[in-house]
Amino acid sequence: MAKLVFSLCFLLFSGCCFAFSSREQPQQNECQIQKLNALKPDNRIESEGGLIETWNPNNKPFQCAGVALSRCTLNRNALRRPSYTNGPQEIYIQQGKGIFGMIYPGCPSTFEEPQQPQQRGQSSRPQDRHQKIYNFREGDLIAVPTGVAWWMYNNEDTPVVAVSIIDTNSLENQLDQMPRRFYLAGNQEQEFLKYQQEQGGHQSQKGKHQQEEENEGGSILSGFTLEFLEHAFSVDKQIAKNLQGENEGEDKGAIVTVKGGLSVIKPPTDEQQQRPQEEEEEEEDEKPQCKGKDKHCQRPRGSQSKSRRNGIDETICTMRLRHNIGQTSSPDIYNPQAGSVTTATSLDFPALSWLRLSAEFGSLRKNAMFVPHYNLNANSIIYALNGRALIQVVNCNGERVFDGELQEGRVLIVPQNFVVAARSQSDNFEYVSFKTNDTPMIGTLAGANSLLNALPEEVIQHTFNLKSQQARQIKNNNPFKFLVPPQESQKRAVA
Amino acid sequence: MAKLVFSLCFLLFSGCCFAFSSREQPQQNECQIQKLNALKPDNRIESEGGLIETWNPNNKPFQCAGVALSRCTLNRNALRRPSYTNGPQEIYIQQGKGIFGMIYPGCPSTFEEPQQPQQRGQSSRPQDRHQKIYNFREGDLIAVPTGVAWWMYNNEDTPVVAVSIIDTNSLENQLDQMPRRFYLAGNQEQEFLKYQQEQGGHQSQKGKHQQEEENEGGSILSGFTLEFLEHAFSVDKQIAKNLQGENEGEDKGAIVTVKGGLSVIKPPTDEQQQRPQEEEEEEEDEKPQCKGKDKHCQRPRGSQSKSRRNGIDETICTMRLRHNIGQTSSPDIYNPQAGSVTTATSLDFPALSWLRLSAEFGSLRKNAMFVPHYNLNANSIIYALNGRALIQVVNCNGERVFDGELQEGRVLIVPQNFVVAARSQSDNFEYVSFKTNDTPMIGTLAGANSLLNALPEEVIQHTFNLKSQQARQIKNNNPFKFLVPPQESQKRAVA
Amino acid sequence: MAKLVFSLCFLLFSGCCFAFSSREQPQQNECQIQKLNALKPDNRIESEGGLIETWNPNNKPFQCAGVALSRCTLNRNALRRPSYTNGPQEIYIQQGKGIFGMIYPGCPSTFEEPQQPQQRGQSSRPQDRHQKIYNFREGDLIAVPTGVAWWMYNNEDTPVVAVSIIDTNSLENQLDQMPRRFYLAGNQEQEFLKYQQEQGGHQSQKGKHQQEEENEGGSILSGFTLEFLEHAFSVDKQIAKNLQGENEGEDKGAIVTVKGGLSVIKPPTDEQQQRPQEEEEEEEDEKPQCKGKDKHCQRPRGSQSKSRRNGIDETICTMRLRHNIGQTSSPDIYNPQAGSVTTATSLDFPALSWLRLSAEFGSLRKNAMFVPHYNLNANSIIYALNGRALIQVVNCNGERVFDGELQEGRVLIVPQNFVVAARSQSDNFEYVSFKTNDTPMIGTLAGANSLLNALPEEVIQHTFNLKSQQARQIKNNNPFKFLVPPQESQKRAVA
């Protein structure tokens, strides 16, 4: 990480502009935190094809961090309906694989069905064209810019579990700090409306009892009159009614089940999965290969989708929108006895420079420790993927505001500059940490390359009121940089 | 527009930095809007030479959008006194023509009176020098950076009507979000003080009754003591008193009448108006031509005013500060049956990259529709210039927060991500829409190149619970991109 | 200054991006200021080796400016313990000289003790390595980025007096707007906690009475458990306890005295001080020279510390972090009868582009005046270093919100766009003005190159309702640009 940060700073500094933080500050007092908790989701919305769980964004730590967190589970053949949000989103795939699409306004529809000129006489289905479709798999980080609509689909048996944050304090959000999801279809409420009503202390126009009864018309198209929809889409009244959601039976919700499975043009993945994982890493979404098995397989045409990075083709329309940081990818920090850390910053994953967000995947061996450290320029939202760890967080007054276990599925928010250290309690503690800066920097307090290691010995001595010998020990005893192996193995290692 | 946005994104992306939004978010809850209204100005301040009308910036939609709106009418020979504001301003000329000046600190005075060496003995008036003067005409958009003083003058019979927004949520404004106008002269109150007092709940130092009686000393120079003014300007006490406004008779206000007309050195426009409009468009303020009729006509000297764009001369001092987007200019979107749209972004009009604002002029034929669309990254402040239209706005909960007519002279605020559609009710509905981002992006929901058009057919089918045939109709029936002709002509067109 | 601003704008404009303001706006109403005061520090914290005084950051003008101000006095051999803050800091050295260090995470330890291979057998102290150490002296401006830890030491007899602002409204601060200092060591409270408790209206976990009794554990390391510290530092329990501050006797506070003086590797300064001041100016911290007298003298090795500016070496790790703007440096504005002004912007001092702050040192001769002017894009925090001046500040309503003396050691906040003028009351009034923008621009209202000077004469005439002759006097009488000599000498000069 030290080197990472270093080269990163270097590049930024020699360029004409800094990657400056661009986030709204929280309201007054919201970061005067005396006590943090490891939080479970506190709301659960069942859908036909899965489940959305949310954390209350009005909780003080979430208000301080300025983000909204949710977790979405897609069962087999489940389609998450297209939606967009009032802030940039990062989605981490905790489990499963599938496909997703993002609709970037103004970009061409570069995925085209093959034409079938021969088969006449059978009212051939006209050729379909749509924007790029991406594969995703466990460990992927997906970047969704503000206002860009996306959908997601699970075509496997394993449920897809995706954890996502919306950065509502991003300056890209010109609305207030409440998270808002705009669904293109369906009659479900957007999942954060509940909290908005709590916060605002007012009732939505539809009234409480009405919500229970009708609960219709949650999508943005449902808000327009039939007349407008007929005119805009050049369709008849029945289709316009369907656009509004009239044909929906009961609460299907935001995730619907596609009976028989979704059939769209997409690059093949199954064959590619046979390739060694390491190769596949970077190239997976770049070079869709056509092996003739998939009936829809078609090499995307046109320069827009060739995805070479020659500075001309590198437009927003072909921007890479996923990046794998999971267990199998090549880590940035690695110590077989202690664990590994993989980061995705705007250098690895340029789309993040637009979101001004980044993420870090970490894995800690039992009893290994991530040394006390702080984020210089970001809040950190740590979500435990696997196992459990003992974590301590300290604020500017030296108060230990968190001292407890972070278990799988729970989240802990560490505000900027607060100091945090962790020790794994299980064989393999895995976490993903979302950071509110696209080039986050961390400062470690112990170990090689740490702040204390970079201070003159005499300054340590007099600052901590120590003997010279003790200062030297503090400065030099720990030879590890970020991750310290369990004390026993460490003693063996340095012995 | 699709292409516009596309090429725009491309340029930004290949450059080193994104045009990132740089605006303050509104306070909590201020965008939780259940109901919008088409608003008239609610205050009216008469001046000697014209009229200033304002909209209350404390209204919830204005607070959400973070802007203050006003409309200024200048009668013949009316001079709007110089002032500057605590945020960037965009001024749209709804009617009339005239001249304006902007005083950029540190820039040279490049407009110089001709020297008159021959005529001796008659106490020749010394040569005057001042900064650049610009012509303006109907349809012009004028960019005024934060803190830069400007004045405006109407030298024609037609009253000048100018609509302007101050972006008080711009990060260039480091004060709080109240709009403030600092007048260099006069004893009028700044036009937004009234609302500030309401909001703040406190009285200005001068007290309520005093305001009625004296109402003196509104200008920034009036606040200094005579002694300071005498010293700073090296003038005698009487002139210092006049600087403070002592010589003002009664309430002249912010707009004064210049008896006999204002005589300043300015480039000729009358001759140029003879040229075809299209040529004049871009060049008008670039190449002032001297045809020997105007006594003050003088080619501006010095490299600063040559206005070539070779990357060296392109300094702030010669930056183009007006750009025509009115009816006569070449539109970006055009369909003779439906209407036209012209946008000014920081690509067409580089000064906007400094303001982080943009604008769009639109004209809709009777019964033509602007399809449902949303702004990905901007609030939109729509001011109706001419005619009336039926507009619908939908929020994230699918609630129709506006469904009504927008008439000439009224304003409707559409917050970021809210979906809006419009249908003209009159032969020619014209509007100007100010947007709080210098590279605004819109996503359309219906028609060619829309979000629904870019989704795979099967995703539409299952998302909206439709038959395959219906999904195809939704995706493909409307062949128009932004503006849809009236349904009758449309049927004829597609038939 | 006019030229300065000019060239500055030019450079920025031809580059790809503007130096856009990046600060949070204050809460609503906080800049609706009817009355300003010249403020003394209102809290005083004695330490073993010195004194820290603070101004209440909850005062309205400080809230409006979004900064926190403090003054630190270091006696001989006093060491300010390492700390970092939640916003960028600018430190101005009012008096004294000494050394400071800044610990930039990820940067190499480039200062190395000489190896002593010969002297064996005496348990040779191992070679120490640490990050760069800087000399500072009176008039230096030191830039400390958000979250970067620094320490400071006085090795002379003259007490060091340093005035510093923390820009809590900087967007680099993602926490709320309270200033926070994170101490690496010691058991003192951070100096702004007191105000935080006032503001928040809540008590810290430790309770009021406890604070009186124990007042322990203010440092960030003290918040961790012994077990964590032992593991992280690989030290025994006693050293871990000392890291927590157990070995501290009584309230040493944030500044400790180093008995016998601090011995660290640092570049020699005493020899350099013999060089003429002007030469030394820019090069002092760039070319540490080794003259063989200092036992620790050692040329820093490695490309990181060669400090050539070839675009490759210019990394964050070797970034220049101090810049002298004091009395002895070469001024930007100079008039022997009136005074001088020296500015440090991100053009002179590139580190400021990261802080988005700048500073100005001014010196006014008796009865000389700084003409009425305003900051277009910054708040100004004026701290009087020496002498006293009569200052007037006017707001947008023409109200004189300050009209009084600013004396040595007091501070006056002039919000953005407010107009200010000053006249020295003592032989030499000196001030430093911190500005909340790295490329501040000022507009003068009187004198050559002022706004009124750049307006056409006729516009002045009709705007101020004057005779032509009077308008000419206002425009041209004062030939000075920023600083006007005393009226007597001025009369002599222009006569």
Side-chain angles (χ1 to χ4, degrees), chain C residues 300-312:
Chain C
R301 289 172 206 152
S303 66
Q304 288 310 333
S305 51
K306 270 178 192 158
S307 292
R308 262 184 281 114
R309 297 254 171 67
N310 61 1
I312 301 284

Side-chain angles (χ1 to χ4, degrees), chain B residues 16-17 22 24 27 63 79 81-82 84-86 103-106 108-109 125-126 128-131 133 146-149 151 168-178 180-182 184-185 190 193 196 199-200 202 204-206 217-225 227-228 230-235 239 242-243 247-248 252 256 258 261-264 304 311-312 314-317 319 353-354 356, chain C residues 2 5-6 9-10 13-14 16-18 20-32 34-35 60 64 171 367-369 371-372 374 376-379 390-392 394-400 403 415-423 436-437 441-443 445-447 449-459 462-466 468 470 472-475 477-478 484-487 490:
Chain B
C16 85
C17 50
S22 266
E24 182 81 6
Q27 307 274 319
Q63 288 280 312
L79 171 70
R81 286 168 152 166
Y84 59 89
T85 52
N86 63 332
I103 309 304
Y104 206 88
S109 290
R125 185 168 163 258
D128 192 23
R129 275 186 186 81
H130 53 79
Q131 285 190 14
I133 287 179
T146 308
V148 172
W151 55 271
T168 51
N169 273 24
S170 165
L171 292 187
E172 287 286 276
N173 173 23
Q174 296 192 354
L175 301 182
D176 61 42
Q177 295 170 22
M178 281 307 301
R180 289 170 171 84
R181 189 174 293 280
F182 294 76
L184 266 58
Q190 65 107 342
L193 180 60
Q196 186 176 331
Q199 179 73 17
H202 61 241
S204 110
Q205 250 185 348
K206 304 199 168 186
S219 88
I220 48 179
L221 288 177
S222 74
F224 288 97
T225 55
E227 203 191 355
F228 261 47
E230 287 175 66
H231 192 173
F233 287 92
S234 303
V235 292
I239 298 185
N242 292 353
L243 277 173
N247 57 334
E248 298 264 341
K252 284 196 153 190
V256 296
V258 180
L262 195 72
S263 158
V264 294
Q304 287 310 331
I312 301 286
E314 178 77 358
T315 67
I316 273 179
C317 296
M319 183 159 63
S353 65
W354 203 8
R356 305 275 166 111
Chain C
V5 168
F6 187 80
C9 295
F10 171 75
F13 197 65
S14 55
C16 82
C17 49
F18 289 82
F20 212 81
S21 169
S22 267
R23 296 182 79 246
E24 181 81 6
Q25 286 178 355
Q27 307 274 321
Q28 210 147 18
N29 304 335
E30 275 170 0
C31 294
Q32 291 177 29
Q34 310 289 323
K35 181 124 192 62
K60 203 170 174 178
C64 173
L171 292 187
N367 288 326
M369 177 182 249
V371 295
Y374 64 99
L376 274 81
N377 57 0
N379 299 309
L390 188 60
I391 297 189
Q392 297 183 353
V394 176
N395 71 6
C396 66
N397 307 322
E399 296 161 355
R400 198 181 308 142
D403 184 2
Q416 184 189 15
N417 290 359
F418 281 42
V419 188
V420 56
R423 188 160 62 184
T436 56
N437 198 308
M441 285 192 290
I442 75 167
L445 292 169
N449 268 30
S450 69
L451 265 72
L452 292 189
N453 184 254
L455 279 174
E457 199 179 293
E458 288 230 345
V459 170
H462 296 290
T463 281
F464 287 100
N465 202 21
L466 298 170
S468 168
Q470 291 177 318
R472 212 168 303 147
Q473 283 188 46
I474 282 175
K475 203 175 153 169
N477 261 21
N478 175 3
V484 186
Q487 274 177 306
Q490 184 186 353

